[in-house]
Amino acid sequence: MIQAIAFYLFAIVVVGSGAMTISSRNPVHSVMWLILAFFNAAGLMVLVGAEFIAMLLVIVYVGAVAVLFLFVVMMLDIDVAEMRAGVARYFAVGLALAVALAAEILIGIGAWEAGGVKISRRAAPIDSAVPNIQAIGDLLYTRYLFVFEGAGLVLLVAMIGAIVLTHRQRSGVRPQNISRQNARRPQDATRNVQPPVGEGVEL
Amino acid sequence: MTAFFNTTVGMSYDWAWFTATIVGILVIALPLMLAVAMIIYADRKIWAAMALRRGPNVVGPFGLLQSFADGLKVFLQETIIPSAANRMLFLLAPIITFTVALIVWAVIPFQAGVVLADINVGLLYILAASSLGVYGIILSGWASNSKYPFYSALRAAAQMVSYEVAIGFILISVVLWSGTFNLSGIVMAQQSTLGLHINAFGINPLLFPMAVMFFISSLAETQRAPFDLTEAESELVAGYQTEYSSMSFALFWLGEYANVLLMCALNATLFWGGWLPPIDWAPLYAVPGIIWLFAKILFFFFLFSWVKATVPRYRYDQLMRLGWKIFLPVSLFWVFLVSGVLMWLRVGFQS
């Protein structure tokens, strides 16, 4: 009963906020709707018992990715009229993409209806009593260890690549030397003087 | 409690669970509000004592009712929404801050078995919820449509995202040592750490540096001094809450202190034994666990106030340097160190 109510609540909000994401005029509002959609998707995952994935969705997408989106979007100065003009120009491309995605979903569902693919080496289903952090950990660090490490390496290369591409050595700047600042003591920087009355301080 | 509503009151299991959860939420949230009011008073008294002042001493005996008087005052004030502000998000921002500060309490264990949601991803839930806290601040800064709040929002976002990375690694070393993400499990794993009859990960020489770093990161995460650059009054007026008035301001205020209490509770739970007594000695277990937990929370709150009263504010570049160039590498190295030591202790070297 409660599960059913929760499911329909989450599902309706996901679909609704997804629609609002693409239809709302203000890009910051769009990001907020997107975050709401992520949240409710996480709720759906909790309902099917994938609590680890749900938490990861919130931590990674809501906590990091959407913050960056929001950061970028907040800084943008968006002209709605200009965007309208863009819609007409890219309409054909957008339509083609939408048709392709819809066709893929339909093909996928059709293939699923026809029965599963025969794969020679399948992972045995994991006992439902095992918490899914443990189950995922077991699989990632044993069976899929090399794939997992490969994915990590790809991400590392991407990160270093982004830094290399955007980092430029600037000349003519005087950056702060933090260790020198930290090493500086009051007696090096200040002088205690007791000027006689009426004479002032010698600078 | 679900069983009580199910059998004694005679509800169906679903509704019994629902009612029990609502009651549990109220039992946590209402005392928490009271605690926040009292902790604000305590905070002001502690600063006052350190500055050789008297602090609030007019409303009620010893000024104890000061926070309630302040609350009543903001409640009766007019809510002003700047005409250039984005109305919906402007009002949403304090609500987000306040809600996020409350929802994390769902997984804090107050005593053996006394926890609203005993989920096995408790620590991840805390990370997820605390990563949401930044939205209240970013949105308030953006929706105010005003310069200082916007600067403050940018600072806050950068600061919280930076320190969350370090906090993540620190938590991983705790999780590695205790072998569970469940907070009750982490508390139980601290019983008689290293066989020394002291119930705290903090006395483990490998985890003590993490405990210190977690304390400092929690100061940064809650934007308390010395990391309160988001509301640095000499630079940014009142930071992201400059344009807020009345209850919307009060929600920021309550949320901020609820977050501070939460971070104190996390410090106590993750590193200093939570609801276990400090020493693993049978007579001490006669005292209810919740009292030990509260004592530890108050101790950490005193440290928070002490830091605020005595440490000058960081410069922004120093703040970022501490987060990215010191905490991040050290905590990352520590994850390797802890996992290496644990492999050696629990699995042993294989040739």
PDB file of all heavy atoms in Angstrom, chain B residues 145-158:
ATOM      1  N   ASN B 145      19.427  38.365  -5.925  1.00  0.00           N
ATOM      2  CA  ASN B 145      19.714  39.321  -6.985  1.00  0.00           C
ATOM      3  C   ASN B 145      20.445  40.535  -6.433  1.00  0.00           C
ATOM      4  O   ASN B 145      20.054  41.666  -6.668  1.00  0.00           O
ATOM      5  CB  ASN B 145      18.402  39.742  -7.656  1.00  0.00           C
ATOM      6  CG  ASN B 145      18.659  40.204  -9.062  1.00  0.00           C
ATOM      7  OD1 ASN B 145      19.818  40.329  -9.451  1.00  0.00           O
ATOM      8  ND2 ASN B 145      17.615  40.463  -9.816  1.00  0.00           N
ATOM      9  N   SER B 146      21.474  40.269  -5.671  1.00  0.00           N
ATOM     10  CA  SER B 146      22.195  41.327  -5.000  1.00  0.00           C
ATOM     11  C   SER B 146      23.661  40.902  -4.952  1.00  0.00           C
ATOM     12  O   SER B 146      23.955  39.714  -4.956  1.00  0.00           O
ATOM     13  CB  SER B 146      21.604  41.483  -3.605  1.00  0.00           C
ATOM     14  OG  SER B 146      22.432  42.234  -2.796  1.00  0.00           O
ATOM     15  N   LYS B 147      24.557  41.881  -4.949  1.00  0.00           N
ATOM     16  CA  LYS B 147      25.971  41.546  -5.129  1.00  0.00           C
ATOM     17  C   LYS B 147      26.561  40.706  -4.002  1.00  0.00           C
ATOM     18  O   LYS B 147      27.123  39.648  -4.234  1.00  0.00           O
ATOM     19  CB  LYS B 147      26.780  42.828  -5.222  1.00  0.00           C
ATOM     20  CG  LYS B 147      27.084  43.220  -6.636  1.00  0.00           C
ATOM     21  CD  LYS B 147      27.934  44.456  -6.630  1.00  0.00           C
ATOM     22  CE  LYS B 147      27.448  45.402  -7.687  1.00  0.00           C
ATOM     23  NZ  LYS B 147      27.240  46.744  -7.218  1.00  0.00           N
ATOM     24  N   TYR B 148      26.432  41.193  -2.779  1.00  0.00           N
ATOM     25  CA  TYR B 148      27.117  40.510  -1.677  1.00  0.00           C
ATOM     26  C   TYR B 148      26.605  39.098  -1.467  1.00  0.00           C
ATOM     27  O   TYR B 148      27.413  38.167  -1.314  1.00  0.00           O
ATOM     28  CB  TYR B 148      27.001  41.335  -0.399  1.00  0.00           C
ATOM     29  CG  TYR B 148      27.759  42.630  -0.479  1.00  0.00           C
ATOM     30  CD1 TYR B 148      27.160  43.828  -0.168  1.00  0.00           C
ATOM     31  CD2 TYR B 148      29.076  42.633  -0.893  1.00  0.00           C
ATOM     32  CE1 TYR B 148      27.857  45.011  -0.246  1.00  0.00           C
ATOM     33  CE2 TYR B 148      29.790  43.817  -0.986  1.00  0.00           C
ATOM     34  CZ  TYR B 148      29.169  45.004  -0.658  1.00  0.00           C
ATOM     35  OH  TYR B 148      29.867  46.166  -0.742  1.00  0.00           O
ATOM     36  N   PRO B 149      25.283  38.892  -1.470  1.00  0.00           N
ATOM     37  CA  PRO B 149      24.828  37.507  -1.358  1.00  0.00           C
ATOM     38  C   PRO B 149      25.379  36.627  -2.469  1.00  0.00           C
ATOM     39  O   PRO B 149      25.706  35.459  -2.231  1.00  0.00           O
ATOM     40  CB  PRO B 149      23.311  37.622  -1.465  1.00  0.00           C
ATOM     41  CG  PRO B 149      23.022  38.958  -0.968  1.00  0.00           C
ATOM     42  CD  PRO B 149      24.147  39.816  -1.406  1.00  0.00           C
ATOM     43  N   PHE B 150      25.525  37.172  -3.680  1.00  0.00           N
ATOM     44  CA  PHE B 150      26.011  36.345  -4.778  1.00  0.00           C
ATOM     45  C   PHE B 150      27.462  35.941  -4.541  1.00  0.00           C
ATOM     46  O   PHE B 150      27.823  34.780  -4.680  1.00  0.00           O
ATOM     47  CB  PHE B 150      25.853  37.129  -6.085  1.00  0.00           C
ATOM     48  CG  PHE B 150      26.036  36.268  -7.290  1.00  0.00           C
ATOM     49  CD1 PHE B 150      25.123  35.275  -7.574  1.00  0.00           C
ATOM     50  CD2 PHE B 150      27.112  36.440  -8.128  1.00  0.00           C
ATOM     51  CE1 PHE B 150      25.285  34.462  -8.682  1.00  0.00           C
ATOM     52  CE2 PHE B 150      27.279  35.637  -9.237  1.00  0.00           C
ATOM     53  CZ  PHE B 150      26.362  34.652  -9.510  1.00  0.00           C
ATOM     54  N   TYR B 151      28.292  36.909  -4.153  1.00  0.00           N
ATOM     55  CA  TYR B 151      29.690  36.573  -3.827  1.00  0.00           C
ATOM     56  C   TYR B 151      29.740  35.516  -2.750  1.00  0.00           C
ATOM     57  O   TYR B 151      30.496  34.544  -2.824  1.00  0.00           O
ATOM     58  CB  TYR B 151      30.426  37.803  -3.307  1.00  0.00           C
ATOM     59  CG  TYR B 151      30.917  38.728  -4.394  1.00  0.00           C
ATOM     60  CD1 TYR B 151      30.722  40.088  -4.302  1.00  0.00           C
ATOM     61  CD2 TYR B 151      31.594  38.230  -5.484  1.00  0.00           C
ATOM     62  CE1 TYR B 151      31.169  40.946  -5.273  1.00  0.00           C
ATOM     63  CE2 TYR B 151      32.051  39.072  -6.472  1.00  0.00           C
ATOM     64  CZ  TYR B 151      31.838  40.435  -6.362  1.00  0.00           C
ATOM     65  OH  TYR B 151      32.285  41.266  -7.322  1.00  0.00           O
ATOM     66  N   SER B 152      28.906  35.722  -1.734  1.00  0.00           N
ATOM     67  CA  SER B 152      28.903  34.799  -0.615  1.00  0.00           C
ATOM     68  C   SER B 152      28.503  33.402  -1.070  1.00  0.00           C
ATOM     69  O   SER B 152      29.095  32.403  -0.637  1.00  0.00           O
ATOM     70  CB  SER B 152      27.939  35.324   0.434  1.00  0.00           C
ATOM     71  OG  SER B 152      27.606  34.323   1.312  1.00  0.00           O
ATOM     72  N   ALA B 153      27.502  33.340  -1.974  1.00  0.00           N
ATOM     73  CA  ALA B 153      27.049  32.034  -2.455  1.00  0.00           C
ATOM     74  C   ALA B 153      28.168  31.331  -3.208  1.00  0.00           C
ATOM     75  O   ALA B 153      28.383  30.131  -3.039  1.00  0.00           O
ATOM     76  CB  ALA B 153      25.835  32.209  -3.364  1.00  0.00           C
ATOM     77  N   LEU B 154      28.922  32.103  -4.013  1.00  0.00           N
ATOM     78  CA  LEU B 154      30.018  31.478  -4.762  1.00  0.00           C
ATOM     79  C   LEU B 154      31.078  30.951  -3.809  1.00  0.00           C
ATOM     80  O   LEU B 154      31.576  29.839  -3.950  1.00  0.00           O
ATOM     81  CB  LEU B 154      30.641  32.486  -5.726  1.00  0.00           C
ATOM     82  CG  LEU B 154      29.723  32.947  -6.848  1.00  0.00           C
ATOM     83  CD1 LEU B 154      30.466  33.901  -7.744  1.00  0.00           C
ATOM     84  CD2 LEU B 154      29.237  31.760  -7.638  1.00  0.00           C
ATOM     85  N   ARG B 155      31.419  31.769  -2.816  1.00  0.00           N
ATOM     86  CA  ARG B 155      32.408  31.323  -1.832  1.00  0.00           C
ATOM     87  C   ARG B 155      31.938  30.069  -1.116  1.00  0.00           C
ATOM     88  O   ARG B 155      32.697  29.111  -0.946  1.00  0.00           O
ATOM     89  CB  ARG B 155      32.603  32.410  -0.777  1.00  0.00           C
ATOM     90  CG  ARG B 155      33.430  33.554  -1.231  1.00  0.00           C
ATOM     91  CD  ARG B 155      33.641  34.446  -0.043  1.00  0.00           C
ATOM     92  NE  ARG B 155      34.484  35.566  -0.369  1.00  0.00           N
ATOM     93  CZ  ARG B 155      34.908  36.433   0.533  1.00  0.00           C
ATOM     94  NH1 ARG B 155      34.530  36.294   1.793  1.00  0.00           N
ATOM     95  NH2 ARG B 155      35.690  37.422   0.198  1.00  0.00           N
ATOM     96  N   ALA B 156      30.660  30.099  -0.690  1.00  0.00           N
ATOM     97  CA  ALA B 156      30.134  28.974   0.072  1.00  0.00           C
ATOM     98  C   ALA B 156      30.168  27.708  -0.753  1.00  0.00           C
ATOM     99  O   ALA B 156      30.583  26.649  -0.272  1.00  0.00           O
ATOM    100  CB  ALA B 156      28.710  29.262   0.523  1.00  0.00           C
ATOM    101  N   ALA B 157      29.745  27.823  -2.018  1.00  0.00           N
ATOM    102  CA  ALA B 157      29.698  26.632  -2.851  1.00  0.00           C
ATOM    103  C   ALA B 157      31.094  26.054  -3.018  1.00  0.00           C
ATOM    104  O   ALA B 157      31.312  24.855  -2.818  1.00  0.00           O
ATOM    105  CB  ALA B 157      29.097  26.980  -4.203  1.00  0.00           C
ATOM    106  N   ALA B 158      32.070  26.914  -3.338  1.00  0.00           N
ATOM    107  CA  ALA B 158      33.436  26.426  -3.534  1.00  0.00           C
ATOM    108  C   ALA B 158      33.970  25.797  -2.254  1.00  0.00           C
ATOM    109  O   ALA B 158      34.581  24.728  -2.275  1.00  0.00           O
ATOM    110  CB  ALA B 158      34.325  27.575  -3.975  1.00  0.00           C
TER     111      ALA B 158
END
